[in-house]
Amino acid sequence: MLLGKKLNEEWVPTLNITSNASGAAKAARKGDIVVIVDVIDMSTTIEAVLDAGAIEVFGASPDHISVPVQVNPEKIGYYAGKNALKNDTKLIIATEPRLGSEEERKENIQLALNGVKRAGVEIEAIVPNLGAEVVKLANFEGKVVLVISDSGGVAYDTAYNYGAPEVITGTVARTLKKSGVLPAKESAQRAIRLAQKFKTGITLVAASSNSYEDVLAAEHISKLIIEEGFLEI
């Protein structure tokens, strides 16, 4: 869905909705702010840890993912680790499986862990990617968080590596601090602020076209972006 376009050097705000890692790659190449919508659970996990005081969040692909685009979880793991060092803090990783041991969670994220190790940062915890409930498992205040997941993480990884000026997440799900329309509204406002900063369009990416909740959530956040007057800037 295209709701505007860039003409010459004059910035005209645009808003698009797409899906999957391939859509994230296209949006990144276009130069848009990319908003990953993975309601169950990656983008809801990120919303919750931001509520809990995390200072920076990242997403990455697990190992052995087959997608028709480039991912580089080791690069993102390294960058997340360096960001934590820069802020004199520790890194927390959230990943799958939700049920299982930390060793099981480590098994499928070796590439990202290689990057974290190269960065030289301390990992405080590797917790399950639970959505809003994740904040009960660790203290996220002042921490950098890396969420590694099969759909949202892969889409985030793709957008990051294809050069999006910023990759963020959005959700419509409630967290322990926000309910009703507020999570979606704040997701919309976050995207608008970044688009204004970089003078770009916004593309909302439903992390999986097979997840109807992601598609509906992306559409809802796009309506809130329009209501905020973004296309009239």
Side-chain angles (χ1 to χ4, degrees):
M1 181 173 68
L2 180 62
L3 298 173
K5 61 181 179 178
K6 201 171 192 176
L7 300 174
N8 302 321
E9 296 303 315
E10 182 183 357
W11 177 52
V12 177
T14 63
L15 179 61
N16 295 274
I17 298 175
T18 186
S19 60
N20 303 327
S22 55
K26 184 176 180 181
R29 285 195 298 260
K30 183 173 177 280
D32 279 359
I33 299 300
V34 178
V35 185
I36 307 300
V37 182
D38 179 14
V39 178
I40 307 172
D41 284 300
M42 184 258 199
S43 61
T44 303
T45 293
I46 286 180
E47 198 72 28
V49 302
L50 288 172
D51 283 352
I55 57 172
E56 197 74 55
V57 292
F58 299 88
S61 169
D63 302 348
H64 312 303
I65 286 293
S66 179
V67 287
V69 289
Q70 177 184 346
V71 294
N72 191 342
E74 184 170 350
K75 176 181 176 182
I76 296 180
Y78 177 79
Y79 187 77
K82 284 297 185 184
N83 189 280
L85 287 176
K86 177 183 175 183
N87 287 283
D88 193 26
T89 190
K90 297 176 183 178
L91 181 71
I92 297 177
I93 296 174
T95 188
E96 282 94 21
R98 296 176 201 167
L99 300 177
S101 67
E102 182 171 308
E103 287 304 313
E104 288 176 296
R105 286 189 282 276
K106 283 181 179 178
E107 263 184 40
N108 201 33
I109 60 169
Q110 289 300 306
L111 292 173
L113 288 177
N114 287 342
V116 172
K117 184 177 179 180
R118 284 199 299 114
V121 71
E122 181 180 350
I123 298 174
E124 179 167 307
I126 300 178
V127 299
N129 176 28
L130 283 180
E133 298 292 317
V134 74
V135 297
K136 297 180 179 179
L137 303 179
N139 178 10
F140 291 92
E141 181 72 37
K143 306 294 171 38
V144 173
V145 180
L146 173 61
V147 183
I148 304 171
S149 70
D150 287 351
S151 52
V154 172
Y156 188 111
D157 195 317
T158 301
Y160 181 90
N161 283 294
Y162 277 78
E166 287 283 348
V167 188
I168 59 173
T169 56
T171 189
V172 298
R174 65 183 179 181
T175 67
L176 297 189
K177 291 190 177 180
K178 294 197 290 276
S179 60
V181 74
L182 194 55
K185 192 174 183 66
E186 289 195 4
S187 298
Q189 291 171 343
R190 190 159 54 232
I192 290 170
R193 286 195 299 270
L194 287 169
Q196 290 173 328
K197 175 182 176 181
F198 289 99
K199 297 293 187 286
T200 67
I202 298 169
T203 295
L204 294 142
V205 180
S208 172
S209 57
N210 292 321
S211 296
Y212 198 42
E213 66 272 15
D214 293 348
V215 175
L216 290 177
E219 290 177 353
H220 181 65
I221 295 170
S222 74
K223 291 176 183 176
L224 294 176
I225 290 172
I226 294 169
E227 289 176 8
E228 291 285 329
F230 175 63
L231 297 181
E232 299 168 6
I233 293 171

